[in-house]
């Protein structure tokens, strides 16, 4: 307002000087005199009224421009900025520079007040541009000029055009023409522009040029300078700035400087705080706050010694005990022991209500550390219920300890319900979101909801957020869910010792014996005192056994039963160690371990398995009598196991040739124990005994008996097959066919079905019942499970069709002779194959199959081993190959193959085939346009066979003939 008053007086002087010569007793001059008087008395409504009257009644008055200027300015002072702008715009056509200067200035002021900074900037620019040309001695114009520049700078600043502001305000603060308030305002704005444009060096330079005397804003700009020093990395200078402010400036700036100093150098700040004690002597609470701030910062940086010291200082400064409760919380947290006692001490001083929940939470946390979850639960519940939703962090933390207390006291279902109902920690941004989710997963797992727990752990595992203990817990859940591969992956990523065990166990369940043995070996070596050590040693031995490391497995499992005789795994270790010894043909140790298992069985089934294992070891070591003797005591009653022992004794008797004794026991089981699980097999074995002895007549009778007694027996299909084969061997073909037919018609899925139909086809072919044989081959083609079986069936079908139709019977017979003589495997087969290839190439269009047949025959016939005996056949198959290549127009290859044929034909003295082949070579070379080779072949033919029937035909390939 002071600026405006000065400007107003100057403006008034201008009008008096400029308009004095015009004063007269005219009406307009009298009215203007009233305007002047009202303006001088700051009666702005009157100025506006008189000016409006003059404008209306004396539109051509020489006082009009001056009146409008007064009116526009008056509107400005009354806050009617739009009216001021409208009035001053009426002067836009004025030709007087003075009028332009003042009208643009006041218009700019009104636009500035309306925050139309772009318009204001234009007005101030116009005012300053015109006024700059005036004599500096004109005080009123010079004043408007300076203020236009200042306000132009303010406009740019308001428009955030800091770069444009800088030269304006630099010029202002460098000038001595501005009042102190404009200077200080400009200096602060300049420093702010430097800061926004990152011109920190300029700011520091300008600051260092300043003298603190007579600058009312010095401490404010010092604050900005401190910030600039910080940005330039000159922390020492920054701290010095803040220190000066803190020790010399008034509150609250000194307090703000202390905060900044603390941020710049926490090392130097405590000393500054000590110096500031006197300055803050009347502000003990503020001093205590700073010590607390220092303490909290040190605490969060894990500098607990410093934190302890600062909280003690805070407590000393806190004469009103305003912060006692807060200090107590941190002192309890910082204490190395007796934390609960410290909480009790400060609690006794009457806890500030706003820290009640924090104290309850602190108690809950400390009791949880001591594993006193019962007390922890009580305090956590209080903390949770007494904390308002606005205190999110405390609410979240107290919920976590509340649920932890429930979980740890066997109330995990309540914990689940509380977590699912609460909103706390549901936000991923919550500090306790992760811990709460993991606790939730543990509660779910404890209540059997493993799938939901696994999803939570999986999400955090994929984000690499789980610690080693949590990875181990996750691996256990995966193991329980049967996801062994993922379990191993997770367990391998944890460094918890038991994670090695669960990883090895997962490998064990996946039958990955190598990783299983490696893992258990590592666990045993590193965890000799673990409660899982005995299990690890057993699984290690078993894994070795499965890997085929029988000797190592035997030693590991033998030692296990000796080391842990009370273990529930002793029986299994003895059984597996016995089997390990068996694999090494160490029958002596095998029988010792198998018999030892009889000392550890825990069920009748385990006892029976041990007995049978002992018997099998005796049997494998060919001590059949010892096996029989061992089983006899267990074969005396009528239990299922006793009958099984009898059955095993019968099998052993059959092995040592005591057929009658075996048959007698099988018969006894068949007849006396018809309902036992071994009656069926015993009956079949009676027949099988004689079938294997090739006593087909007795075998057929016994198989027939088995079919009557056990029409739905598990060996019924085998009985029909063996019975059919027995009858065939006895030349009782009709009975054989009947047995085969019963088998194929009633047991289409039997493993004997292929051979049964094959045998039926052979029988029908022998009986010249070709259509019946063909029918069987068609069935065989449908059930064939290999390419060879299918190909054989297709050949048989083709052969039988030829026999049935009477066409190509020669071909069918050739094919049959080729197959019956084992194809290329025998000399006779290769002879038949050669004839078959020749037949096919002569009577049918050449096919690739014919070429492949001839090629395969030639390779064997021309081998060093066979060519002496089979050169004549090699020549013939080579000729077939040459004809096929000629058919394909592969003329050069055909010619070469004809020459090979000729070579083998001459060796076997087959001159007719040799001549034919040499001519074929000449003809093929000619077709390939290899005329020189063709001519040489023709000359060779005439030299070797001058009387050849191909003489005249060959001569056409010879030039100049």
């Amino acid at each position: 307002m002071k600026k405006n008053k000065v400007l107003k007086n100057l403006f008034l002087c201008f009008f008096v000087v400029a308009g004095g010569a015009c004063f007269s007793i005219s009406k307009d001059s009298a009215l203007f005199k009233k305007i002047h008087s009202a303006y001088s008395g700051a009666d702005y409504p009157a100025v506006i009224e008189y000016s409006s009257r003059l404008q209306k009644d004396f539109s051509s008055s020489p006082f009009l421009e001056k009146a409008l200027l007064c009116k526009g300015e008056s509107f400005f002072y009354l806050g009617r900025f739009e009216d001021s702008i409208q009035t001053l715009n009426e002067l836009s056509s004025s030709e007087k520079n003075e009028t332009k200067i003042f009208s643009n200035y006041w218009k700019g002021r009104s636009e500035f007040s309306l925050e139309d900074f772009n318009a204001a900037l234009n007005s101030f620019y116009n005012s300053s541009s015109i006024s700059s040309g005036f004599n500096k001695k004109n005080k009123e114009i010079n004043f408007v000029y300076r203020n236009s520049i200042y306000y132009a700078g303010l406009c740019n600043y308001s428009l955030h055009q800091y770069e444009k502001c800088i030269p304006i305000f630099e010029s202002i603060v460098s000038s001595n023409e501005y009042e102190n308030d404009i200077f200080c305002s400009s200096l602060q704005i300049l420093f702010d522009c430097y800061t926004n444009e990152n011109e920190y060096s300029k700011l520091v330079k300008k600051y260092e040029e300043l003298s603190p005397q007579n600058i009312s804003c010095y401490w404010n700009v010092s604050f900005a300078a401190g910030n600039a020093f910080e940005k330039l990395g000159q922390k020492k200078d920054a701290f010095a700035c803040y220190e000066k402010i803190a020790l010399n400036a008034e509150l609250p700036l000194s307090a703000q400087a202390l905060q900044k100093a603390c941020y710049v150098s926490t090392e130097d700040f405590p000393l500054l705080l000590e110096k500031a004690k006197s300055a803050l002597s009347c502000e003990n609470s503020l001093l205590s706050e700073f010590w607390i701030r220092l303490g909290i910062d040190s605490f969060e940086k894990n500098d607990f010694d410093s934190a302890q010291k600062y909280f003690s200082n805070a407590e000393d400064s806190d004469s009103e005990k305003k912060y006692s409760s807060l200090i107590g919380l941190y002192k309890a947290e910082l204490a190395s022991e007796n934390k609960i006692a410290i909480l009790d001490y400060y609690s006794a001083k009457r806890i500030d209500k706003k820290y009640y929940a924090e104290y309850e939470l602190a108690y809950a946390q400390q009791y949880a550390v001591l594993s006193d979850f019962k007390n922890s639960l009580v305090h956590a519940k209080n903390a949770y219920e007494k904390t308002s939703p606005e205190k999110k962090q405390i609410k979240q933390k107290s919920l976590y300890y509340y649920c932890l207390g429930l979980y740890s006291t066997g109330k995990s279902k309540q914990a689940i319900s509380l977590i699912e109902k609460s909103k706390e920690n549901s936000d991923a941004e919550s500090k306790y979101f992760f811990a709460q989710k993991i606790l939730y997963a543990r509660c779910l797992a404890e209540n059997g909801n493993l799938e939901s727990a696994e999803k939570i752990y999986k999400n955090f595992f994929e984000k690499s957020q789980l610690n080693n203990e949590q990875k181990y817990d996750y691996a256990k859940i995966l193991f329980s869910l049967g996801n062994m591969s993922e379990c191993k992956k997770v367990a391998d990523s944890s460094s918890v010792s038991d994670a090695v065990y669960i990883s090895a166990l997962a490998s064990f369940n996946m039958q990955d014996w190598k990783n299983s043995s490696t893992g258990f070996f590592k666990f045993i070596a590193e965890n000799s005192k673990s409660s899982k050590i005995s299990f690890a040693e057993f699984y290690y031995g078993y894994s070795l056994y499965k890997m085929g490391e029988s000797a190592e497995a035997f030693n590991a499992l033998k030692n296990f039963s000796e080391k842990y005789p009370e273990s529930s795994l002793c029986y299994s270790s003895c059984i597996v160690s016995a089997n390990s010894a068996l694999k090494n043909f160490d029958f002596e140790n095998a029988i010792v371990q198998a018999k030892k298992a009889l000392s550890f069985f825990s069920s009748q089934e385990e006892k029976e398995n041990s007995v049978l294992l002992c018997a099998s070891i005796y049997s494998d070591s060919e001590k059949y009598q010892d096996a029989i003797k061992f089983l006899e005591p267990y074969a005396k009653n009528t239990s299922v196991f006793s009958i099984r022992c009898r059955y095993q004794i019968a099998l052993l008797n059959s092995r040592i040739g005591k057929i009658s004794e075996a048959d007698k026991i099988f018969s006894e089981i068949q007849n006396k124990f018809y309902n036992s699980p071994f009656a069926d097999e015993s009956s079949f074995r009676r027949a099988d005994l004689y079938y294997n002895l090739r006593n087909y007549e007795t075998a057929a009778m016994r198989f027939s008996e088995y079919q009557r007694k056990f029409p739905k027996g598990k060996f019924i299909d085998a009985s029909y097959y063996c019975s059919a084969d027995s009858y065939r061997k006895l030349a009782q073909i009709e009975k054989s066919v009947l047995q085969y037919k019963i088998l194929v018609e009633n047991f289409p899925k039997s493993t004997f079905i292929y051979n049964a139909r094959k045998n039926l086809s052979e029988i029908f072919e022998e009986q010249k019942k070709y259509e019946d044989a063909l029918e069987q081959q068609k069935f065989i083609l449908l059930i064939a499970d290999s390419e060879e079986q299918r190909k054989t069936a297709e050949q048989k079908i083709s052969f039988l069709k030829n026999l049935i139709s009477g066409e190509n019977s020669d071909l069918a017979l050739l094919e049959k002779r080729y197959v019956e003589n084992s194809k290329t495997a025998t000399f006779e087969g290769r002879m038949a194959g050669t004839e078959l290839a020749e037949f096919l190439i002569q009577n049918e269009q050449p096919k690739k199959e014919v070429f492949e047949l001839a090629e395969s025959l030639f390779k064997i016939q021309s081998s060093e081993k066979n060519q002496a005996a089979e050169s004549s056949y090699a020549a013939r198959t080579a000729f077939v190959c040459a004809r096929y290549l000629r058919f394909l127009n592969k003329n050069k290859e055909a010619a070469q193959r004809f020459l090979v044929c000729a070579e083998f034909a001459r060796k076997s003295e087959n001159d007719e085939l040799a001549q034919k082949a040499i001519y074929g070579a000449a003809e093929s070379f000619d077709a390939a346009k290899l005329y020189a080779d063709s001519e040489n072949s023709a000359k060779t033919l005439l030299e070797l066979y001058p009387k050849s029937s191909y003489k005249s035909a060959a001569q056409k390939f010879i030039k100049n003939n």
Side-chain angles (χ1 to χ4, degrees), residues 32-236:
F32 183 74
K33 189 173 181 181
K34 288 181 180 181
I35 293 169
H36 178 268
S37 177
Y39 182 83
S40 300
D43 185 0
Y44 301 119
V47 172
I48 294 168
E49 182 185 350
Y50 295 143
S51 298
S52 298
R53 193 186 304 170
L54 189 145
Q55 184 178 11
K56 180 180 178 183
D57 297 340
F58 305 101
S59 58
S60 300
S61 172
F63 301 107
L64 182 60
E65 285 189 5
K66 301 175 185 64
L68 289 174
L69 282 171
C70 288
K71 183 181 178 182
E73 186 180 351
S74 296
F75 276 131
F76 171 81
Y77 284 125
L78 291 173
R80 295 170 61 181
F81 305 119
E82 290 88 349
D83 292 333
S84 175
I85 294 167
Q86 185 178 351
T87 300
L88 294 168
N89 277 337
E90 293 180 35
L91 296 169
S92 60
S93 60
S94 174
E95 295 180 359
K96 294 180 181 180
N97 284 334
E98 292 88 345
T99 301
K100 290 180 181 179
I101 291 168
F102 284 97
S103 66
N104 274 292
Y105 175 76
W106 287 111
K107 180 185 171 187
R109 291 291 300 275
S110 293
E111 289 164 340
F112 185 86
S113 297
L114 289 172
E115 298 184 1
D116 186 356
F117 301 117
N118 282 308
L121 184 62
N122 186 57
S123 296
F124 289 127
Y125 174 78
N126 291 335
S127 177
S128 62
S129 296
I130 299 168
S131 59
S132 65
F134 277 74
N135 192 320
K136 297 293 182 181
K137 293 181 180 181
N138 189 327
K139 291 183 179 180
E140 58 273 19
I141 299 296
N142 190 35
F143 185 87
V144 169
Y145 170 71
R146 294 197 308 273
N147 277 273
S148 293
I149 291 173
Y150 172 69
Y151 277 103
L154 289 180
C155 288
N156 280 317
Y157 182 69
S158 299
L159 291 168
H160 308 296
Q161 295 175 354
Y162 305 116
E163 189 176 0
K164 292 181 179 179
C165 288
I166 289 173
I168 296 173
F169 289 110
E170 281 181 338
S171 68
I172 292 173
V173 299
S174 299
S175 170
N176 295 320
E177 298 180 2
Y178 287 87
E179 295 84 356
N180 187 58
D181 58 341
I182 292 182
F183 173 81
C184 281
S185 170
S186 299
L187 184 61
Q188 291 181 80
I189 292 172
L190 176 60
F191 276 24
D192 192 49
C193 291
Y194 281 146
T195 300
N196 280 292
E197 288 296 309
N198 299 322
E199 295 282 4
Y200 302 113
S201 296
K202 285 185 178 181
L203 191 156
V204 166
K205 183 180 179 183
K206 181 65 71 176
Y207 173 73
E208 290 174 341
E209 292 172 358
L210 297 175
S211 174
Q213 289 79 16
N214 303 320
I215 299 179
S216 60
C217 62
Y218 182 74
W219 300 121
N220 295 81
V221 294
S222 294
F223 201 87
N227 181 62
F229 280 124
E230 277 187 68
K231 297 295 184 181
L232 292 169
Q234 298 172 225
K235 292 194 174 184
K236 187 175 180 181

Side-chain angles (χ1 to χ4, degrees), residues 653-921:
N653 278 321
S654 68
R655 285 193 182 183
I656 58 178
K658 294 184 177 181
I659 303 303
S660 59
E661 286 88 338
D663 185 40
K664 181 180 177 181
I665 297 171
F666 283 138
S667 177
E668 182 184 25
I669 296 171
Q670 170 191 292
N671 297 316
K672 285 187 178 183
F673 306 105
Y674 181 80
N675 293 321
S676 80
F678 299 98
D680 178 343
E681 190 166 350
S682 294
S683 181
F684 179 78
R685 292 295 175 198
R686 291 189 73 205
D688 195 49
L689 281 173
Y690 292 97
Y691 181 75
N692 290 327
L693 290 171
R694 299 184 181 180
N695 185 345
Y696 297 116
E697 187 172 354
T698 304
M701 290 170 56
R702 293 288 174 81
F703 284 126
S704 179
E705 182 183 5
Y706 173 77
Q707 291 161 9
R708 288 196 308 274
K709 287 183 177 289
F710 301 96
K712 294 183 179 180
K714 59 184 176 182
F715 301 101
I716 190 68
D717 58 335
S719 75
Y720 280 112
Y721 181 82
C722 294
S723 175
D725 190 53
S726 297
Y727 282 127
R728 190 179 182 189
K729 296 287 192 334
L730 293 168
Q732 298 180 32
I733 303 303
E734 292 307 317
K735 288 184 178 180
S736 176
V737 169
L738 178 62
Q739 294 292 298
Y740 279 132
K741 282 186 175 182
I742 293 171
L743 173 60
V744 299
E745 289 170 6
N746 293 284
F747 306 98
K749 294 184 179 180
S750 169
T751 55
F752 296 97
I753 202 73
Y754 175 82
N755 284 329
R757 288 194 179 279
K758 179 173 171 289
N759 293 343
L760 269 175
S761 180
E762 289 175 358
I763 291 171
F764 289 142
E765 191 178 337
E766 289 167 1
Q767 294 176 332
K768 298 189 178 180
K769 296 178 179 179
Y770 300 127
E771 290 184 354
D772 291 339
L774 177 61
E775 183 183 1
Q776 294 304 317
Q777 288 298 332
K778 287 178 179 179
F779 276 113
I780 289 171
L781 187 61
L782 293 174
I783 63 174
D785 57 5
S786 71
E787 186 60 33
E788 185 179 356
Q789 288 179 353
R790 281 190 287 274
K791 197 168 184 180
T792 301
E794 287 170 353
Q795 290 173 347
K796 269 289 183 184
I797 288 169
S798 175
F799 167 70
L800 290 167
K801 282 182 177 179
N802 288 334
L803 288 177
I804 291 167
S805 66
E807 296 178 8
N808 291 327
S809 58
D810 291 339
L811 173 60
L813 291 171
L814 282 171
E815 287 176 338
K816 182 181 179 184
R817 187 154 63 89
Y818 177 56
V819 172
E820 286 178 345
N821 285 287
S822 304
K823 299 184 178 180
T824 60
T826 64
F827 174 65
E828 291 76 10
R830 291 192 290 275
M831 288 172 58
T834 301
E835 293 176 21
L836 176 60
E838 287 176 328
F839 182 88
L840 289 169
I841 202 74
Q842 289 167 4
N843 295 284
E844 296 184 6
Q845 185 175 343
K847 295 180 180 179
K848 185 180 180 182
E849 291 79 2
V850 179
F851 174 76
E852 289 173 348
L853 171 62
E855 180 79 348
S856 64
L857 288 165
F858 176 76
K859 286 181 180 178
I860 299 171
Q861 292 163 342
S862 62
S863 66
E864 187 176 347
K865 176 183 175 182
N866 296 321
Q867 66 174 262
E870 300 182 43
S871 58
S872 62
Y873 294 100
R876 291 160 67 181
T877 52
F879 191 81
V880 171
C881 291
R883 282 192 62 183
Y884 177 76
L885 292 168
R886 185 78 172 88
F887 172 77
L888 295 178
N889 286 322
K890 294 183 178 182
N891 297 305
K892 182 180 178 181
E893 294 176 46
Q896 292 169 342
R897 195 60 67 96
F898 276 127
L899 292 177
V900 170
C901 169
E903 179 186 350
F904 280 96
R906 283 177 59 76
K907 284 183 181 179
S908 58
E909 299 181 354
N910 188 343
D911 292 334
E912 183 180 349
L913 182 58
Q915 292 175 56
K916 193 175 182 180
I918 296 170
Y919 177 76

Side-chain angles (χ1 to χ4, degrees), residues 305-370:
D305 290 339
S306 296
Q308 185 75 50
K309 175 185 173 184
Y310 298 145
F311 280 117
S312 295
N313 288 347
E315 193 166 24
D316 293 341
S317 303
D318 187 21
S319 57
E320 298 176 6
K321 304 302 177 186
K322 186 177 178 180
Y323 301 108
S324 178
S325 297
L326 178 60
I327 293 167
L329 282 172
Y330 277 99
K331 280 204 162 188
E333 187 68 27
L334 287 164
S336 58
E337 56 186 3
N338 300 323
K339 294 188 177 190
I340 291 176
I342 294 171
L343 289 169
D344 289 341
Y345 170 78
Y346 283 95
S347 297
K349 292 184 175 184
R350 192 174 64 83
I351 301 173
D352 187 335
K353 286 184 180 180
K354 66 181 179 181
Y355 293 115
Y356 172 78
E358 282 91 331
Y359 266 82
E360 285 298 292
L361 180 55
Y363 274 116
Q365 189 173 354
Q366 295 311 318
Y367 278 121
V369 170
L370 297 171

